[in-house]
Amino acid sequence: MGLEQAWYKRSRWLCVLRPLEVLFRSVAARRRQRFRDGIQQSWTAPVPVIVVGNISVGGTGKSPLVIWLVEHLRQQGYRPGVVSRGYRAMPPTTPYFVTSGSTATEAGDEPLMIVRRTDVPLVISPDRVAAAKLLLEQTGCDLIISDDGLQHYALNRTLEIAVIDGVRGFGNRRCLPEGPLREPVGRLDEVDLIVVNGAAPETVLDAGHTDKAFLMMLEPGELVSLSSGRAVTAGQWSGSRQVNAVAAIGNPGRFACTLETLGFVPQLHRFPDHHHYSESDLSFEQQLPLIMTEKDAVKCDHIKLENSWYLQVDASLAEGFSVTLDRMLSRWPPADRNAE
């Protein structure tokens, strides 16, 4: 049994890692306290900063939420920009502006997917402050979304949104390496909003957190051909319903379940999260249609694939989330509204 499986099965043998967990928690708490005490300096942007992050390792659904935020905030009159670490990216320089013509190797898979879907200005750098400064210097954005920056305390934030995987929850509720948490569950006391992906908040969260928690569902959209860009709905699909399904995401099983709800019979091929594909990775014994996630598709520009598709997924937020978000941001109206 792998370590991740053990976390969520709450295996008893993990207790041997308790000394390391205590050390991890101590170091993380001390680091955060240094920012609170001013020993390490935080930078405050001249525009609102919304941090979207999580307290556990692995995928929780942050990227679909970031895309939803970009589209919603634009409708409210904002000009949002995004900063991201760009996990496993190898840009020619940092900070680095991601464009739709960037490669996944340069930009990282999630930043590139966000840019190709929304055309939002996006800068990657391990130093989120440097990324935010470049974004403000070279674009007209009046609000910054920090993707996966909950523990990056060098960048001050206006609002914090924590995303929770509603299916897997918090596992054994222990911090690394004994459990999957980057910070204790008590960290949720301090965030402004909690988004629970795929389950009612009250089934996952402690009672004290549910008053600021909202359900998010990931709704499948169109299937898009990698070779032609043609898009069809699952109902319009004319090929075999038996398919090869490819996923290099935090929770591949969720992707397979989504395909099953659309009437497919997927043979799931799992790869490590953020895996970079070679042609041999996508050559399977059975010559079936290939369906992958949108995040995987941006990593396949260099591979010629026939009868291959990616499934778009959109975040759907519970009624009340947008109203609450807009109310919290009302102190910082869009720049063009200020000019009126």
Side-chain angles (χ1 to χ4, degrees), residues 25-38 40 42 150-151 153 157 160 183 186-188 190-191:
R25 287 172 66 136
S26 175
V27 170
R30 191 179 306 121
R31 176 178 174 272
R32 189 175 186 208
Q33 193 62 45
R34 288 174 64 85
F35 281 102
R36 285 178 162 175
D37 294 342
Q40 287 184 261
S42 298
L150 200 60
Q151 290 80 32
Y153 295 112
R157 61 284 315 264
E160 289 184 329
E183 295 183 282
R187 175 69 170 85
L188 298 178
E190 304 168 33
V191 304

PDB file of all heavy atoms in Angstrom, residues 25-38 40 42 150-151 153 157 160 183 186-188 190-191:
ATOM      1  N   ARG A  25       4.987  20.082  11.675  1.00  0.00           N
ATOM      2  CA  ARG A  25       4.033  21.056  12.189  1.00  0.00           C
ATOM      3  C   ARG A  25       4.748  22.201  12.901  1.00  0.00           C
ATOM      4  O   ARG A  25       4.372  23.370  12.771  1.00  0.00           O
ATOM      5  CB  ARG A  25       3.058  20.389  13.146  1.00  0.00           C
ATOM      6  CG  ARG A  25       2.046  19.502  12.462  1.00  0.00           C
ATOM      7  CD  ARG A  25       1.221  18.715  13.449  1.00  0.00           C
ATOM      8  NE  ARG A  25       0.378  19.588  14.251  1.00  0.00           N
ATOM      9  CZ  ARG A  25      -0.896  19.335  14.535  1.00  0.00           C
ATOM     10  NH1 ARG A  25      -1.462  18.235  14.073  1.00  0.00           N
ATOM     11  NH2 ARG A  25      -1.582  20.146  15.264  1.00  0.00           N
ATOM     12  N   SER A  26       5.789  21.862  13.647  1.00  0.00           N
ATOM     13  CA  SER A  26       6.534  22.878  14.390  1.00  0.00           C
ATOM     14  C   SER A  26       7.234  23.850  13.449  1.00  0.00           C
ATOM     15  O   SER A  26       7.172  25.076  13.637  1.00  0.00           O
ATOM     16  CB  SER A  26       7.550  22.193  15.304  1.00  0.00           C
ATOM     17  OG  SER A  26       8.360  23.150  15.953  1.00  0.00           O
ATOM     18  N   VAL A  27       7.880  23.308  12.430  1.00  0.00           N
ATOM     19  CA  VAL A  27       8.590  24.161  11.466  1.00  0.00           C
ATOM     20  C   VAL A  27       7.604  25.053  10.711  1.00  0.00           C
ATOM     21  O   VAL A  27       7.845  26.252  10.521  1.00  0.00           O
ATOM     22  CB  VAL A  27       9.417  23.292  10.494  1.00  0.00           C
ATOM     23  CG1 VAL A  27       9.962  24.143   9.349  1.00  0.00           C
ATOM     24  CG2 VAL A  27      10.548  22.602  11.232  1.00  0.00           C
ATOM     25  N   ALA A  28       6.458  24.477  10.280  1.00  0.00           N
ATOM     26  CA  ALA A  28       5.466  25.260   9.541  1.00  0.00           C
ATOM     27  C   ALA A  28       4.878  26.367  10.409  1.00  0.00           C
ATOM     28  O   ALA A  28       4.699  27.501   9.955  1.00  0.00           O
ATOM     29  CB  ALA A  28       4.351  24.340   9.040  1.00  0.00           C
ATOM     30  N   ALA A  29       4.574  26.042  11.679  1.00  0.00           N
ATOM     31  CA  ALA A  29       4.007  27.051  12.575  1.00  0.00           C
ATOM     32  C   ALA A  29       5.018  28.151  12.871  1.00  0.00           C
ATOM     33  O   ALA A  29       4.663  29.343  12.923  1.00  0.00           O
ATOM     34  CB  ALA A  29       3.564  26.389  13.874  1.00  0.00           C
ATOM     35  N   ARG A  30       6.276  27.768  13.048  1.00  0.00           N
ATOM     36  CA  ARG A  30       7.316  28.764  13.333  1.00  0.00           C
ATOM     37  C   ARG A  30       7.517  29.690  12.137  1.00  0.00           C
ATOM     38  O   ARG A  30       7.674  30.906  12.301  1.00  0.00           O
ATOM     39  CB  ARG A  30       8.625  28.055  13.688  1.00  0.00           C
ATOM     40  CG  ARG A  30       9.688  29.000  14.245  1.00  0.00           C
ATOM     41  CD  ARG A  30      10.961  28.251  14.604  1.00  0.00           C
ATOM     42  NE  ARG A  30      10.687  27.143  15.512  1.00  0.00           N
ATOM     43  CZ  ARG A  30      10.974  25.879  15.236  1.00  0.00           C
ATOM     44  NH1 ARG A  30      11.520  25.567  14.077  1.00  0.00           N
ATOM     45  NH2 ARG A  30      10.712  24.939  16.111  1.00  0.00           N
ATOM     46  N   ARG A  31       7.493  29.103  10.956  1.00  0.00           N
ATOM     47  CA  ARG A  31       7.666  29.936   9.749  1.00  0.00           C
ATOM     48  C   ARG A  31       6.536  30.945   9.627  1.00  0.00           C
ATOM     49  O   ARG A  31       6.768  32.123   9.343  1.00  0.00           O
ATOM     50  CB  ARG A  31       7.713  29.034   8.521  1.00  0.00           C
ATOM     51  CG  ARG A  31       7.785  29.791   7.203  1.00  0.00           C
ATOM     52  CD  ARG A  31       7.890  28.830   6.030  1.00  0.00           C
ATOM     53  NE  ARG A  31       7.809  29.549   4.773  1.00  0.00           N
ATOM     54  CZ  ARG A  31       6.669  29.836   4.148  1.00  0.00           C
ATOM     55  NH1 ARG A  31       5.513  29.452   4.682  1.00  0.00           N
ATOM     56  NH2 ARG A  31       6.672  30.494   3.007  1.00  0.00           N
ATOM     57  N   ARG A  32       5.309  30.504   9.854  1.00  0.00           N
ATOM     58  CA  ARG A  32       4.186  31.426   9.742  1.00  0.00           C
ATOM     59  C   ARG A  32       4.251  32.509  10.808  1.00  0.00           C
ATOM     60  O   ARG A  32       3.943  33.675  10.552  1.00  0.00           O
ATOM     61  CB  ARG A  32       2.863  30.667   9.854  1.00  0.00           C
ATOM     62  CG  ARG A  32       1.688  31.563   9.521  1.00  0.00           C
ATOM     63  CD  ARG A  32       0.386  30.816   9.500  1.00  0.00           C
ATOM     64  NE  ARG A  32      -0.663  31.713   9.046  1.00  0.00           N
ATOM     65  CZ  ARG A  32      -1.922  31.613   9.384  1.00  0.00           C
ATOM     66  NH1 ARG A  32      -2.318  30.630  10.169  1.00  0.00           N
ATOM     67  NH2 ARG A  32      -2.808  32.473   8.937  1.00  0.00           N
ATOM     68  N   GLN A  33       4.666  32.134  12.021  1.00  0.00           N
ATOM     69  CA  GLN A  33       4.747  33.111  13.103  1.00  0.00           C
ATOM     70  C   GLN A  33       5.789  34.181  12.806  1.00  0.00           C
ATOM     71  O   GLN A  33       5.628  35.349  13.206  1.00  0.00           O
ATOM     72  CB  GLN A  33       5.085  32.406  14.424  1.00  0.00           C
ATOM     73  CG  GLN A  33       4.891  33.267  15.653  1.00  0.00           C
ATOM     74  CD  GLN A  33       3.442  33.709  15.826  1.00  0.00           C
ATOM     75  OE1 GLN A  33       2.516  32.913  15.687  1.00  0.00           O
ATOM     76  NE2 GLN A  33       3.238  35.000  16.094  1.00  0.00           N
ATOM     77  N   ARG A  34       6.850  33.824  12.100  1.00  0.00           N
ATOM     78  CA  ARG A  34       7.866  34.812  11.742  1.00  0.00           C
ATOM     79  C   ARG A  34       7.279  35.907  10.853  1.00  0.00           C
ATOM     80  O   ARG A  34       7.653  37.077  10.966  1.00  0.00           O
ATOM     81  CB  ARG A  34       9.042  34.126  11.041  1.00  0.00           C
ATOM     82  CG  ARG A  34       9.907  33.286  11.974  1.00  0.00           C
ATOM     83  CD  ARG A  34      10.970  32.519  11.203  1.00  0.00           C
ATOM     84  NE  ARG A  34      11.919  33.415  10.556  1.00  0.00           N
ATOM     85  CZ  ARG A  34      12.991  33.921  11.148  1.00  0.00           C
ATOM     86  NH1 ARG A  34      13.251  33.619  12.410  1.00  0.00           N
ATOM     87  NH2 ARG A  34      13.820  34.710  10.492  1.00  0.00           N
ATOM     88  N   PHE A  35       6.349  35.545   9.961  1.00  0.00           N
ATOM     89  CA  PHE A  35       5.674  36.556   9.152  1.00  0.00           C
ATOM     90  C   PHE A  35       4.726  37.386  10.011  1.00  0.00           C
ATOM     91  O   PHE A  35       4.641  38.612   9.858  1.00  0.00           O
ATOM     92  CB  PHE A  35       4.908  35.897   8.003  1.00  0.00           C
ATOM     93  CG  PHE A  35       5.774  35.503   6.845  1.00  0.00           C
ATOM     94  CD1 PHE A  35       6.158  34.177   6.658  1.00  0.00           C
ATOM     95  CD2 PHE A  35       6.227  36.456   5.937  1.00  0.00           C
ATOM     96  CE1 PHE A  35       6.956  33.812   5.581  1.00  0.00           C
ATOM     97  CE2 PHE A  35       7.033  36.098   4.868  1.00  0.00           C
ATOM     98  CZ  PHE A  35       7.405  34.772   4.694  1.00  0.00           C
ATOM     99  N   ARG A  36       4.025  36.738  10.920  1.00  0.00           N
ATOM    100  CA  ARG A  36       3.102  37.467  11.790  1.00  0.00           C
ATOM    101  C   ARG A  36       3.842  38.469  12.675  1.00  0.00           C
ATOM    102  O   ARG A  36       3.341  39.562  12.945  1.00  0.00           O
ATOM    103  CB  ARG A  36       2.323  36.491  12.662  1.00  0.00           C
ATOM    104  CG  ARG A  36       1.229  35.738  11.927  1.00  0.00           C
ATOM    105  CD  ARG A  36       0.545  34.751  12.860  1.00  0.00           C
ATOM    106  NE  ARG A  36      -0.742  34.329  12.353  1.00  0.00           N
ATOM    107  CZ  ARG A  36      -1.493  33.408  12.938  1.00  0.00           C
ATOM    108  NH1 ARG A  36      -1.079  32.819  14.040  1.00  0.00           N
ATOM    109  NH2 ARG A  36      -2.659  33.081  12.419  1.00  0.00           N
ATOM    110  N   ASP A  37       5.034  38.092  13.133  1.00  0.00           N
ATOM    111  CA  ASP A  37       5.806  38.965  14.029  1.00  0.00           C
ATOM    112  C   ASP A  37       6.614  40.012  13.277  1.00  0.00           C
ATOM    113  O   ASP A  37       7.273  40.845  13.904  1.00  0.00           O
ATOM    114  CB  ASP A  37       6.753  38.111  14.882  1.00  0.00           C
ATOM    115  CG  ASP A  37       6.010  37.206  15.850  1.00  0.00           C
ATOM    116  OD1 ASP A  37       4.815  37.465  16.106  1.00  0.00           O
ATOM    117  OD2 ASP A  37       6.624  36.232  16.334  1.00  0.00           O
ATOM    118  N   GLY A  38       6.609  39.940  11.935  1.00  0.00           N
ATOM    119  CA  GLY A  38       7.354  40.913  11.146  1.00  0.00           C
ATOM    120  C   GLY A  38       8.817  40.598  10.994  1.00  0.00           C
ATOM    121  O   GLY A  38       9.577  41.416  10.456  1.00  0.00           O
ATOM    122  N   GLN A  40       9.996  38.146   9.161  1.00  0.00           N
ATOM    123  CA  GLN A  40      10.037  38.044   7.707  1.00  0.00           C
ATOM    124  C   GLN A  40       8.932  38.938   7.147  1.00  0.00           C
ATOM    125  O   GLN A  40       7.804  38.941   7.662  1.00  0.00           O
ATOM    126  CB  GLN A  40       9.819  36.601   7.250  1.00  0.00           C
ATOM    127  CG  GLN A  40      11.005  35.695   7.511  1.00  0.00           C
ATOM    128  CD  GLN A  40      10.789  34.296   6.967  1.00  0.00           C
ATOM    129  OE1 GLN A  40      10.438  33.389   7.700  1.00  0.00           O
ATOM    130  NE2 GLN A  40      11.018  34.123   5.670  1.00  0.00           N
ATOM    131  N   SER A  42       6.159  40.597   4.644  1.00  0.00           N
ATOM    132  CA  SER A  42       5.161  40.305   3.617  1.00  0.00           C
ATOM    133  C   SER A  42       4.936  41.548   2.778  1.00  0.00           C
ATOM    134  O   SER A  42       5.043  42.677   3.284  1.00  0.00           O
ATOM    135  CB  SER A  42       3.842  39.871   4.260  1.00  0.00           C
ATOM    136  OG  SER A  42       4.000  38.694   5.003  1.00  0.00           O
ATOM    137  N   LEU A 150      -1.801  29.337  -0.521  1.00  0.00           N
ATOM    138  CA  LEU A 150      -2.287  29.488   0.846  1.00  0.00           C
ATOM    139  C   LEU A 150      -1.139  29.545   1.845  1.00  0.00           C
ATOM    140  O   LEU A 150      -1.224  30.252   2.852  1.00  0.00           O
ATOM    141  CB  LEU A 150      -3.237  28.338   1.192  1.00  0.00           C
ATOM    142  CG  LEU A 150      -4.193  28.566   2.371  1.00  0.00           C
ATOM    143  CD1 LEU A 150      -5.110  29.744   2.120  1.00  0.00           C
ATOM    144  CD2 LEU A 150      -5.016  27.311   2.638  1.00  0.00           C
ATOM    145  N   GLN A 151      -0.061  28.799   1.595  1.00  0.00           N
ATOM    146  CA  GLN A 151       1.067  28.776   2.528  1.00  0.00           C
ATOM    147  C   GLN A 151       2.191  29.725   2.118  1.00  0.00           C
ATOM    148  O   GLN A 151       3.251  29.718   2.738  1.00  0.00           O
ATOM    149  CB  GLN A 151       1.620  27.347   2.636  1.00  0.00           C
ATOM    150  CG  GLN A 151       0.708  26.365   3.362  1.00  0.00           C
ATOM    151  CD  GLN A 151      -0.424  25.829   2.505  1.00  0.00           C
ATOM    152  OE1 GLN A 151      -0.277  25.669   1.293  1.00  0.00           O
ATOM    153  NE2 GLN A 151      -1.576  25.565   3.120  1.00  0.00           N
ATOM    154  N   TYR A 153       3.237  32.953   2.529  1.00  0.00           N
ATOM    155  CA  TYR A 153       2.879  34.107   3.358  1.00  0.00           C
ATOM    156  C   TYR A 153       3.640  35.378   3.019  1.00  0.00           C
ATOM    157  O   TYR A 153       3.345  36.436   3.576  1.00  0.00           O
ATOM    158  CB  TYR A 153       3.076  33.747   4.831  1.00  0.00           C
ATOM    159  CG  TYR A 153       2.133  32.664   5.287  1.00  0.00           C
ATOM    160  CD1 TYR A 153       2.606  31.392   5.620  1.00  0.00           C
ATOM    161  CD2 TYR A 153       0.771  32.890   5.351  1.00  0.00           C
ATOM    162  CE1 TYR A 153       1.741  30.386   6.015  1.00  0.00           C
ATOM    163  CE2 TYR A 153      -0.106  31.893   5.736  1.00  0.00           C
ATOM    164  CZ  TYR A 153       0.391  30.647   6.072  1.00  0.00           C
ATOM    165  OH  TYR A 153      -0.476  29.660   6.453  1.00  0.00           O
ATOM    166  N   ARG A 157      -2.720  38.815   1.543  1.00  0.00           N
ATOM    167  CA  ARG A 157      -3.937  38.491   0.812  1.00  0.00           C
ATOM    168  C   ARG A 157      -5.136  39.212   1.385  1.00  0.00           C
ATOM    169  O   ARG A 157      -5.230  39.454   2.593  1.00  0.00           O
ATOM    170  CB  ARG A 157      -4.153  36.982   0.760  1.00  0.00           C
ATOM    171  CG  ARG A 157      -4.332  36.220   2.065  1.00  0.00           C
ATOM    172  CD  ARG A 157      -3.045  35.982   2.875  1.00  0.00           C
ATOM    173  NE  ARG A 157      -1.909  35.523   2.104  1.00  0.00           N
ATOM    174  CZ  ARG A 157      -1.584  34.239   1.983  1.00  0.00           C
ATOM    175  NH1 ARG A 157      -2.302  33.311   2.581  1.00  0.00           N
ATOM    176  NH2 ARG A 157      -0.539  33.895   1.292  1.00  0.00           N
ATOM    177  N   GLU A 160      -8.899  34.644   1.503  1.00  0.00           N
ATOM    178  CA  GLU A 160      -8.385  33.289   1.351  1.00  0.00           C
ATOM    179  C   GLU A 160      -9.549  32.346   1.091  1.00  0.00           C
ATOM    180  O   GLU A 160     -10.550  32.366   1.814  1.00  0.00           O
ATOM    181  CB  GLU A 160      -7.667  32.828   2.626  1.00  0.00           C
ATOM    182  CG  GLU A 160      -6.344  33.522   2.878  1.00  0.00           C
ATOM    183  CD  GLU A 160      -5.648  32.950   4.103  1.00  0.00           C
ATOM    184  OE1 GLU A 160      -6.349  32.509   5.047  1.00  0.00           O
ATOM    185  OE2 GLU A 160      -4.401  32.944   4.115  1.00  0.00           O
ATOM    186  N   GLU A 183      -1.158  21.855   6.587  1.00  0.00           N
ATOM    187  CA  GLU A 183      -1.406  22.582   7.825  1.00  0.00           C
ATOM    188  C   GLU A 183      -2.551  21.890   8.552  1.00  0.00           C
ATOM    189  O   GLU A 183      -3.373  21.217   7.921  1.00  0.00           O
ATOM    190  CB  GLU A 183      -1.792  24.040   7.532  1.00  0.00           C
ATOM    191  CG  GLU A 183      -0.687  24.855   6.886  1.00  0.00           C
ATOM    192  CD  GLU A 183      -1.107  26.311   6.677  1.00  0.00           C
ATOM    193  OE1 GLU A 183      -1.864  26.569   5.719  1.00  0.00           O
ATOM    194  OE2 GLU A 183      -0.688  27.163   7.462  1.00  0.00           O
ATOM    195  N   GLY A 186      -7.329  23.058  11.839  1.00  0.00           N
ATOM    196  CA  GLY A 186      -7.643  24.325  12.490  1.00  0.00           C
ATOM    197  C   GLY A 186      -7.306  25.547  11.659  1.00  0.00           C
ATOM    198  O   GLY A 186      -7.818  26.646  11.930  1.00  0.00           O
ATOM    199  N   ARG A 187      -6.468  25.390  10.643  1.00  0.00           N
ATOM    200  CA  ARG A 187      -6.138  26.520   9.745  1.00  0.00           C
ATOM    201  C   ARG A 187      -7.388  27.046   9.059  1.00  0.00           C
ATOM    202  O   ARG A 187      -7.452  28.225   8.671  1.00  0.00           O
ATOM    203  CB  ARG A 187      -5.110  26.046   8.714  1.00  0.00           C
ATOM    204  CG  ARG A 187      -4.753  27.053   7.633  1.00  0.00           C
ATOM    205  CD  ARG A 187      -3.962  28.223   8.209  1.00  0.00           C
ATOM    206  NE  ARG A 187      -3.426  29.050   7.145  1.00  0.00           N
ATOM    207  CZ  ARG A 187      -4.081  30.028   6.531  1.00  0.00           C
ATOM    208  NH1 ARG A 187      -5.337  30.310   6.887  1.00  0.00           N
ATOM    209  NH2 ARG A 187      -3.510  30.723   5.568  1.00  0.00           N
ATOM    210  N   LEU A 188      -8.416  26.191   8.908  1.00  0.00           N
ATOM    211  CA  LEU A 188      -9.650  26.624   8.256  1.00  0.00           C
ATOM    212  C   LEU A 188     -10.406  27.659   9.085  1.00  0.00           C
ATOM    213  O   LEU A 188     -11.285  28.348   8.567  1.00  0.00           O
ATOM    214  CB  LEU A 188     -10.555  25.416   7.975  1.00  0.00           C
ATOM    215  CG  LEU A 188      -9.983  24.354   7.028  1.00  0.00           C
ATOM    216  CD1 LEU A 188     -10.964  23.194   6.885  1.00  0.00           C
ATOM    217  CD2 LEU A 188      -9.664  24.958   5.665  1.00  0.00           C
ATOM    218  N   GLU A 190      -9.273  30.357   9.961  1.00  0.00           N
ATOM    219  CA  GLU A 190      -8.780  31.670   9.558  1.00  0.00           C
ATOM    220  C   GLU A 190      -9.099  32.039   8.122  1.00  0.00           C
ATOM    221  O   GLU A 190      -8.965  33.205   7.743  1.00  0.00           O
ATOM    222  CB  GLU A 190      -7.272  31.735   9.796  1.00  0.00           C
ATOM    223  CG  GLU A 190      -6.884  31.437  11.236  1.00  0.00           C
ATOM    224  CD  GLU A 190      -5.393  31.210  11.391  1.00  0.00           C
ATOM    225  OE1 GLU A 190      -4.620  31.847  10.640  1.00  0.00           O
ATOM    226  OE2 GLU A 190      -5.003  30.408  12.247  1.00  0.00           O
ATOM    227  N   VAL A 191      -9.478  31.073   7.295  1.00  0.00           N
ATOM    228  CA  VAL A 191      -9.758  31.407   5.894  1.00  0.00           C
ATOM    229  C   VAL A 191     -11.117  32.100   5.807  1.00  0.00           C
ATOM    230  O   VAL A 191     -11.956  31.983   6.703  1.00  0.00           O
ATOM    231  CB  VAL A 191      -9.721  30.160   4.987  1.00  0.00           C
ATOM    232  CG1 VAL A 191      -8.386  29.454   5.107  1.00  0.00           C
ATOM    233  CG2 VAL A 191     -10.865  29.208   5.295  1.00  0.00           C
TER     234      VAL A 191
END
